[in-house]
Amino acid sequence: MGFEELLHQVGGFGPFQIRNVALLALPRMILPMNFLLPIFLAAVPAHRCALPGTPANFSHQDTWLEAYLPREPDGTLSSCRRFTYPQALPNTTLVGEGHSPGELQGEQSTEPCPQGWEYDHSEFSSTIATEWDLVCEQKGLNKAISTFFFVGVLVGAVAFGYLSDRFGRRRLLLVAYVSALVMGLASAASVNYIMFVITRTLTGTALAGFTIIVMPLELEWLDVGHRTVAGVLSSTFWTGGVMLLALVGYLIRDWRWLLLAVILPCVPGILSLWWVPESARWLLTQGRVEEAHRYLLCCARLNGRPVGADGLSLEALSKVAAAERVVRRPSYLDLFRTPRLRHISLCCMVMWFGVNFSYYGLSLDVSGLGLNVYQTQLLFGAVEMPSKLLVYLSVRHAGRRLTQAGTLLGSALCFGLRLLVSTEMVSWSTALAVMGKGFSEAAFTTAYLFTSELYPTVLRQTGMGLTALVGRLGGSLAPLAALLDGVWLSLPKLTYGGIALLAACTALLLPETRQAQLPETIEDVERKSAPSSLQEEQMPMKQVHD
């Protein structure tokens, strides 16, 4: 008897699984609110150099600014430089403000803003850019906030993936909740940029636990027939978080209070863990039969399944555990020891890098679309809903592999077409950006489901941790790639699209998992021959038909 037979006895989908998905909805909503927070937290409002006070009888503000600020090549007043001496303008007199005629007639030399900047507070009352003047020469430090955060997520993916395979999903989820709450509160209390970078990086490390633990903890309680619908349904909570961030950002314009608003939901999350079950699959692989027996009986009771004394006895579970028990603790090297797992791991690493790189490259750039930041964020969130429907239908009929490759190809095409659209065609650029966001979100949703089904139970968390590590590396580099516009304006979009195209091609090299039971051991994975063509394999793991 295997675990799938045990799950069939207690119910592979019912009130127990629905409750589990609902309890794990909160971390799914917390994630996008923190991952995409820099859209509002690090927003750069309109700004210019701080200038001496305007004379009381001087009513022409634009003329006054032209005396102090040079113009950029596009005709706009400079945001980062000012004239060393104010320039004399026709029909104006500025000598009375303490400037000699010689100064006014001097060379039009410029300098960085010596007295700091003045910001437009009509859209944001405070951001980290206005708090610590992360503009102009310091704008790289502003972009680096997202990079440091995703570096933290990268480190956390490694740690939580490995530790949750050793110590359990539920226990590490509690660690993730508590540490994210503590670091988030510390971030909101930051007194300087260095403190904020450190605490924000550690917040990313803690939140990585959500990305690694939640999906497998759901899937390991579900039967084959309901994995797809539950996976897509639960991913809609991410979309809810994206749209909720637009509302919260609109209502709270101060970055410190905004940061508190998106991290405090960890408190009810900690309380909800009282009802979240540990994975019985994992418990059996660790030989912890009595704990698995208790959770399986709870599952049967909530699902209304009568279980006989013999069918779910400790003796029966001991036999299952004996067949699946892990003799040696998992390590990341195990993902590369055998040919098939090595092939899967390498392809997933490339695929996850491309998924994250293109998704965050598009999601964190909400400028130049003819809408304000709140409208753009809401629109980007709304388009994710139909993308979930696309994933649900596609993975059931076309399979996971083709869906993954197709959605990444769609993202790449949208990036490429935006290169051909002129800056004056704002509506076309907006439409392509929205379509690209939909495809990139569909690729993200499929990646979580697909990767969870590729790895065996004994290495599932470790495998998810490795792929998430590489994925977060892509996420950390995405904001920095936006700085390539200083080399060539179209280079960022070309980079995002090219990486997405590479990931699409790599996804085609992975095996199909549609209608296949989750593999339990490394032997289950290696039992299949290495993929030699792009056709769906004829011998999937314990093939199950509807």
Side-chain angles (χ1 to χ4, degrees):
M1 178 186 294
F3 186 81
E4 293 295 336
E5 288 77 11
L6 287 176
L7 196 58
H8 178 72
Q9 289 186 36
V10 300
F13 187 77
F16 180 86
Q17 283 79 8
I18 294 174
R19 186 187 72 173
N20 197 31
V21 171
L23 289 171
L24 294 175
L26 185 58
R28 288 185 174 279
M29 297 186 70
I30 292 174
L31 281 174
M33 295 178 70
N34 280 273
F35 281 28
L36 302 178
L37 187 60
I39 294 173
F40 304 103
L41 185 84
V44 180
H47 55 280
R48 60 172 173 80
C49 293
L51 303 174
T54 307
N57 61 350
F58 196 84
S59 59
H60 301 288
Q61 180 71 15
D62 292 341
T63 305
W64 171 260
L65 292 177
E66 286 190 29
Y68 280 95
L69 303 179
R71 289 193 176 274
E72 299 290 352
D74 61 0
T76 61
L77 293 174
S78 176
S79 298
C80 298
R81 301 190 69 84
R82 55 160 289 176
F83 290 120
T84 305
Y85 303 107
Q87 303 300 298
L89 298 174
N91 301 320
T92 63
T93 303
L94 297 175
V95 177
E97 294 302 310
H99 304 288
S100 69
E103 290 176 329
L104 295 176
Q105 298 297 327
E107 295 181 0
Q108 294 188 359
S109 60
T110 62
E111 62 181 354
C113 304
Q115 298 173 323
W117 288 263
E118 293 182 3
Y119 298 93
D120 179 5
H121 294 287
S122 62
E123 195 168 18
F124 302 98
S125 62
S126 174
T127 71
I128 62 170
T130 64
E131 180 93 4
W132 295 306
D133 287 335
L134 304 180
V135 295
C136 299
E137 290 85 356
Q138 304 297 320
K139 69 177 181 179
L141 295 179
N142 195 29
K143 293 286 186 181
I145 290 295
S146 294
T147 297
F148 284 120
F149 176 82
F150 283 115
V151 167
V153 176
L154 183 152
V155 175
V158 178
F160 280 100
Y162 178 71
L163 293 175
S164 60
D165 269 340
R166 292 197 61 177
F167 302 108
R169 284 63 160 137
R170 187 169 176 265
R171 186 179 301 175
L172 267 296
L173 186 56
L174 174 61
V175 173
Y177 265 129
V178 174
S179 51
L181 176 62
V182 173
M183 289 298 104
L185 294 176
S187 296
S190 297
V191 295
N192 55 48
Y193 178 80
I194 298 299
M195 179 180 176
F196 182 78
V197 165
I198 294 173
T199 55
R200 190 69 182 147
T201 302
L202 293 176
T203 303
T205 303
L207 290 172
F210 297 167
T211 69
I212 298 301
I213 296 170
V214 171
M215 174 64 85
L217 192 54
E218 290 178 354
L219 290 182
E220 289 174 358
W221 276 108
L222 291 164
D223 59 20
V224 175
H226 294 92
R227 285 207 311 264
T228 299
V229 63
V232 175
L233 174 64
S234 59
S235 70
T236 59
F237 296 119
W238 171 284
T239 301
V242 173
M243 299 177 70
L244 184 60
L245 176 61
L247 175 62
V248 174
Y250 179 78
L251 296 175
I252 304 176
R253 306 296 180 93
D254 182 272
W255 73 268
R256 295 183 188 272
W257 289 106
L258 179 60
L259 187 51
L260 286 175
V262 301
I263 205 65
L264 285 179
C266 286
V267 175
I270 294 171
L271 300 177
S272 71
L273 287 179
W274 179 265
W275 296 277
V276 174
E278 181 57 274
S279 168
R281 287 181 189 264
W282 178 83
L283 289 171
L284 288 176
T285 62
Q286 305 301 304
R288 295 161 62 173
V289 177
E290 292 185 0
E291 292 180 67
H293 183 253
R294 186 172 68 252
Y295 283 117
L296 287 168
L297 286 178
C298 178
C299 178
R301 184 174 65 253
L302 285 180
N303 288 342
R305 292 292 188 92
V307 178
D310 296 332
L312 202 60
S313 64
L314 290 176
E315 291 76 14
L317 292 182
S318 296
K319 292 180 181 179
V320 176
E324 300 182 352
R325 185 169 183 175
V326 181
V327 178
R328 180 170 51 83
R329 295 295 185 183
S331 73
Y332 286 100
L333 291 178
D334 292 330
L335 299 174
F336 300 94
R337 293 186 193 278
T338 56
R340 187 158 184 80
L341 267 178
R342 183 165 55 247
H343 174 88
I344 288 173
S345 298
L346 292 174
C347 290
C348 283
M349 289 165 66
V350 176
M351 181 184 78
W352 271 79
F353 184 93
V355 168
N356 279 261
F357 189 76
S358 57
Y359 179 87
Y360 288 107
L362 183 59
S363 298
L364 295 175
D365 181 15
V366 295
S367 60
L369 298 180
L371 303 171
N372 65 39
V373 64
Y374 309 105
Q375 293 171 331
T376 303
Q377 179 65 15
L378 185 62
L379 186 59
F380 275 8
V383 77
E384 292 188 4
M385 283 299 183
S387 74
K388 308 292 185 184
L389 178 61
L390 171 67
V391 170
Y392 174 71
L393 296 175
S394 183
V395 296
R396 287 174 63 89
H397 299 288
R400 277 68 160 158
R401 179 176 58 195
L402 291 179
T403 300
Q404 186 71 73
T407 52
L408 282 167
L409 179 61
S411 299
L413 289 175
C414 289
F415 278 115
L417 291 174
R418 286 185 70 189
L419 293 174
L420 305 177
V421 175
S422 64
T423 55
E424 290 78 15
M425 303 172 66
V426 178
S427 58
W428 280 98
S429 181
T430 302
L432 288 171
V434 171
M435 290 175 60
K437 181 62 188 300
F439 279 119
S440 62
E441 169 58 26
F444 227 130
T445 302
T446 309
Y448 272 108
L449 177 64
F450 195 14
T451 309
S452 294
E453 295 177 338
L454 286 168
Y455 286 109
T457 300
V458 295
L459 288 173
R460 185 163 297 122
Q461 295 294 91
T462 306
M464 291 291 289
L466 175 70
T467 54
L469 180 153
V470 180
R472 299 316 174 194
L473 177 62
S476 65
L477 294 177
L480 297 183
L483 297 176
L484 293 175
D485 60 358
V487 179
W488 178 34
L489 192 61
S490 300
L491 189 55
K493 294 184 181 65
L494 187 63
T495 305
Y496 295 135
I499 296 296
L501 181 60
L502 174 63
C505 297
T506 305
L508 292 173
L509 301 177
L510 288 166
E512 181 57 71
T513 62
R514 180 165 58 102
Q515 294 184 335
Q517 291 185 355
L518 292 177
E520 303 290 341
T521 64
I522 295 176
E523 288 72 21
D524 288 338
V525 177
E526 294 301 322
R527 198 170 293 137
K528 297 175 66 177
S529 59
S532 58
S533 69
L534 298 183
Q535 297 178 351
E536 185 173 336
E537 285 117 349
Q538 300 301 312
M539 297 177 63
M541 297 169 275
K542 304 176 186 177
Q543 184 74 32
V544 175
H545 299 280
D546 293 333

